[in-house]
């Protein structure tokens, strides 16, 4: 099992399921999905009812750069391999790398 698995780890969670508890309990290797759920729960709690705008774009921008950095490192900066790993066209990858000054 990796952090990218989308199945849950025999978890006990109270993410907006009508329970008042803020605690989330997972096995020792939470999935990427679980990390995102925890981070979003914490973010929304920190906002303390303030108006939210463009949360989707905010999350994508916060996740995309470290994702690209990790994959580029994993592929030793081989853009062809990185594009394949990410399921992107190489041109699209280059555009994203430029956006984050990773080229």
């Amino acid at each position: 099992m990796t952090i990218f698995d989308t199945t849950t780890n025999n978890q006990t969670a109270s993410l907006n399921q009508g329970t008042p508890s803020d605690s989330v309990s997972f096995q020792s290797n939470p999935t990427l999905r679980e990390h995102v759920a925890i981070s979003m729960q914490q973010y929304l709690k920190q906002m303390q009812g303030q108006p939210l705008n463009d949360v989707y774009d905010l999350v994508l921008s916060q996740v995309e750069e470290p994702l690209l950095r990790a994959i580029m490192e994993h592929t030793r900066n081989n853009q062809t391999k990185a594009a394949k790993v990410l399921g992107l066209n190489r041109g699209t990858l280059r555009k994203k790398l430029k956006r984050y000054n990773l080229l």
Side-chain angles (χ1 to χ4, degrees), residues 13-63:
S14 61
L15 298 173
N16 297 326
Q17 295 177 355
T19 56
S21 171
D22 287 330
S23 64
V24 178
S25 170
F26 299 104
Q27 288 181 348
S28 62
N29 290 324
T31 64
L32 179 59
R33 174 187 216 101
E34 292 164 346
H35 281 288
V36 171
I38 292 166
S39 293
M40 286 307 304
Q41 184 181 44
Q42 291 171 344
Y43 172 75
L44 294 171
K45 186 176 181 179
Q46 288 173 355
M47 293 304 294
Q48 299 178 352
Q50 295 178 41
L52 301 172
N53 295 306
D54 302 320
V55 173
Y56 183 80
D57 288 336
L58 171 69
V59 171
L60 286 185
S61 68
Q62 293 294 306
V63 171

Side-chain angles (χ1 to χ4, degrees), residues 76-92:
R76 296 188 184 117
N77 292 317
N78 184 316
Q79 293 176 19
T80 301
K81 287 181 182 180
K84 186 173 181 177
V85 167
L86 291 165
L88 296 174
N89 167 307
R90 188 171 173 270
T92 301

